[in-house]
Amino acid sequence: MTSFVDKAVLHFDRALQTLVPHAAHASRPSPARHLEEAELDNSERKHAAGLMRINHTGEVCAQALYAGQATTAKLPSVREEMEHAADEEIDHLVWCEQRLYELGSQPSIFNPLFFGASFMIGAGAGLISDKLSLGFVAATEDQVCVHLEKHMAKLPEQDKKSKAVLEQMYIDEAKHKAMALDAGGYEFPSPIMNIMTKVSKVMTHSTYRI
C-alpha cells in the first residue's frame, strides 16, 4: 500500500512535471510533427498562441484535478482510472507546450495558481464520493470538448499544426468523459454545468494574453 509520504512525493513530482517548462515527456509523438509550419502574420500568430495557451492551462488543471481525485478516491479501481487518465493528459500538456514555443510564446504565469485550485477541487470531490468525483471528470471533459471545438474553428485556417493537436486532444477527452460515465459517474444537472461554463470563461480570459 502506498504511504502518505509516497503519495506526497508522487504528487510533488507530477506538479513539477506539469509546471516546469520542458520537464514532462509525452508517451506519444505530437500529431503535428509531420506538418509544415504555416505562414502566419503577427496577429494570427498571437491569436493562435493565445488559444493554445488556454488549452495548455486546461491541461495543467487536468493534471491537478486527476491527482487530487486519485488522492482521495475510495475504490482502487477509480484511483487507477484517474491515474491512467492523468498519464494520457501528459501528452496533451507536452503537445500544447511544444506548440506554444513554436509560436514564439509561453505558458500562462497563472498556471501554479490554477494547479493548486484544481488539486483542491479534485481532492474535495473525491472526499465526498467516487460517483461525484467521476461525474466531475465527465462534466469537465464535456466543457473541454466544447472549448476545443470552438478553438479549432477560431484558429487561423492555415495553422494545420495547432489544429492537428486539438483534434487528437478532442478524441482523447471524449474518451475520458465516456470512461467516467461508464464507471458510474454522476451526470451533473444543467445549472451546475452553466456555473462550470462561467468559471471556465474566467480562466479563458485570464490566460489568453498571459
Side-chain angles (χ1 to χ4, degrees), residues 78-178:
V78 173
R79 186 180 306 113
E80 290 171 5
E81 289 282 8
M82 297 298 183
E83 292 172 347
H84 176 68
D87 288 341
E88 288 194 342
E89 297 280 2
I90 281 285
D91 290 349
H92 302 172
L93 182 83
V94 173
W95 298 344
C96 287
E97 181 184 273
Q98 289 174 345
R99 190 66 194 129
L100 267 176
Y101 285 112
E102 288 171 356
L103 290 166
S105 190
Q106 60 188 14
S108 171
I109 60 174
F110 295 126
N111 281 346
L113 176 63
F114 286 125
F115 185 95
S118 297
F119 183 90
M120 296 302 294
I121 291 171
L127 281 173
I128 296 172
S129 74
D130 285 342
K131 184 178 180 67
L132 178 66
S133 186
L134 288 165
F136 197 81
V137 169
T140 300
E141 298 293 19
D142 182 77
Q143 294 287 307
V144 171
C145 286
V146 170
H147 276 293
L148 289 172
E149 285 185 318
K150 291 180 179 179
H151 289 184
M152 284 188 280
K154 290 180 179 180
L155 279 171
E157 186 176 353
Q158 66 272 36
D159 187 5
K160 305 299 184 184
K161 290 178 75 71
S162 296
K163 187 174 182 181
V165 170
L166 299 190
E167 285 175 338
Q168 185 58 51
M169 286 172 60
Y170 182 92
I171 293 170
D172 294 343
E173 305 293 8
K175 182 179 66 175
H176 293 162
K177 174 187 174 182

Side-chain angles (χ1 to χ4, degrees), residues 191-202:
I192 300 299
M193 295 297 291
N194 291 337
I195 292 173
M196 292 180 69
T197 298
K198 291 178 181 178
V199 172
S200 69
K201 285 182 179 179
V202 172

